[in-house]
């Protein structure tokens, strides 16, 4: 009998693996609706949906392995990173999805969220004031108008699977929607800045590197407290707090 493995679990959702099947349990059915529709629309490889019975979504495992992990080395070659860039460009060039996206829909909304989060990080003693202030200043470059594209919305390095130099699939589409293309690029390279050049070689167009750096600070600032509260460790080597420290 196949072993049941807990891939991730917190108060919002859980993902289990049983053999070659992943079971995603999510109390927010709107989030699952987005995930299923996004995978059907995205012009890139995605997992096969096997069945759905709320609150559970069953999807098939992808061949290959993740491009890497936050806080650890990337196992992907420069060619694999370039292939990931080409896949993301194909997504960003696709027609916009019919839904707006679940969060951070415009710069003003994002700025308000960031300011509130920075206040809480300092007031609750989660991070030193100097670290927060410096990264809030860096993050300012992301607070500008952008042309919305079809974004994955949570394109962590663990969500891109490769086999050799080929992208075999991208998982976890629950945050997909209309958004800033550079947010996806920054999310994938968070903690792996050394691969940004390889990624952009495959992406195939010039981008504003200051905005990429701004999104690294932005995502880290917005994520630290949530991660701590849900049992993750953003203070682990190479993770979000180290990303913030690297800006000092």
């Amino acid at each position: 009998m196949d072993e049941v493995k807990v891939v991730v679990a917190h108060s919002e959702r859980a993902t289990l693996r049983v053999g070659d099947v992943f079971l995603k349990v999510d109390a927010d059915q709107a989030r699952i609706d987005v995930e299923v529709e996004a995978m059907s629309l995205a012009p890139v490889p995605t997992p096969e949906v096997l069945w759905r019975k709320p609150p559970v979504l069953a999807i098939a495992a992808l061949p290959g392995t993740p491009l890497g992990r936050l806080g650890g080395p990337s196992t992907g070659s420069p060619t694999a990173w370039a292939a990931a860039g080409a896949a993301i460009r194909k997504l960003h060039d696709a027609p916009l999805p019919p839904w707006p996206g679940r969060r951070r829909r415009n710069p003003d909304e994002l700025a308000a969220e960031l300011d509130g989060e920075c206040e809480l990080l300092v007031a609750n003693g989660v991070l030193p004031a100097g670290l927060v202030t410096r990264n809030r200043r860096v993050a300012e470059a992301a607070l500008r108008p952008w042309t919305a594209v079809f974004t994955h919305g949570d394109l962590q390095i663990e969500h891109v699977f490769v086999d050799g130099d080929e992208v075999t699939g991208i998982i976890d589409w629950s945050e997909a929607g209309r958004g800033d293309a550079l947010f996806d690029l920054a999310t994938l390279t968070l903690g792996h800045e050394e691969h940004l050049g390889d990624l952009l070689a495959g992406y195939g167009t010039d981008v504003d590197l200051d905005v990429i750096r701004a999104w690294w600070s932005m995502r880290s600032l917005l994520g630290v407290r949530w991660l701590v509260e849900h049992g993750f460790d953003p203070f682990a080597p190479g993770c979000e707090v180290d990303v913030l420290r690297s800006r000092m």
Side-chain angles (χ1 to χ4, degrees):
M1 183 174 180
D2 287 320
E3 178 185 8
V4 177
K5 178 183 178 181
V6 178
V7 179
V8 63
H10 50 76
S11 60
E12 295 182 3
R13 69 188 92 164
T15 301
L16 311 175
R17 180 169 186 168
V18 185
D20 289 332
V21 177
F22 285 89
L23 303 174
K24 304 190 74 171
V25 185
D26 197 323
D28 185 344
Q29 289 309 293
R31 190 157 46 206
I32 292 293
D33 290 342
V34 165
E35 180 150 15
V36 172
E37 188 169 2
M39 288 192 293
S40 72
L41 294 175
V44 297
T46 61
E48 177 188 1
V49 175
L50 300 176
W51 52 266
R52 181 184 179 189
K53 185 175 181 180
V56 182
L57 171 67
I59 60 176
L62 289 170
T65 57
L67 189 57
R69 65 182 181 86
L70 184 62
S74 167
T75 55
S77 67
T79 305
W81 276 90
I88 298 166
R89 179 62 183 271
K90 187 178 292 186
L91 174 67
H92 292 169
D93 285 344
L96 289 171
W99 64 94
R102 295 175 55 87
R103 57 180 180 173
R104 300 167 195 162
R105 300 178 187 175
N106 61 66
D108 290 339
E109 179 183 316
L110 182 61
E113 181 183 1
L114 179 62
D115 288 341
E117 192 62 33
C118 287
E119 290 178 10
L120 289 171
L121 287 170
V122 175
N124 295 338
V126 180
L127 292 175
L131 185 64
V132 172
T133 299
R134 168 59 181 159
N135 279 275
R136 173 61 180 84
R137 191 176 303 121
V138 172
E140 188 74 26
L143 300 175
R144 85 286 178 226
W146 59 74
T147 299
V149 300
F150 190 162
T151 57
H152 180 280
D154 190 24
L155 197 60
Q156 301 176 47
I157 190 172
E158 294 94 339
H159 293 167
V160 177
F161 278 67
V162 296
D163 186 1
D165 295 332
E166 178 184 356
V167 175
T168 58
I170 299 175
I171 65 171
D172 285 358
W173 292 81
S174 61
E175 302 295 333
R178 305 174 189 177
D180 181 5
L182 300 194
F183 177 70
D184 272 354
L185 298 176
T187 301
L188 182 57
T189 53
L190 186 75
H192 288 277
E193 301 178 22
E194 71 278 9
H195 292 293
L196 179 60
D198 298 324
L199 183 75
L200 295 181
Y203 192 71
T205 188
D206 291 334
V207 304
D208 189 331
L209 297 182
D210 285 339
V211 176
I212 295 285
R213 297 183 187 100
W215 277 121
W216 287 334
S217 290
M218 181 87 70
R219 183 177 175 97
S220 298
L221 288 170
L222 293 175
V224 166
R225 197 168 55 89
W226 185 95
L227 290 166
V228 170
E229 291 174 354
H230 288 80
F232 300 99
D233 186 8
F235 292 87
C239 293
E240 285 81 1
V241 175
D242 272 357
V243 171
L244 295 172
R245 289 170 177 155
S246 70
R247 305 274 75 84
M248 299 297 286

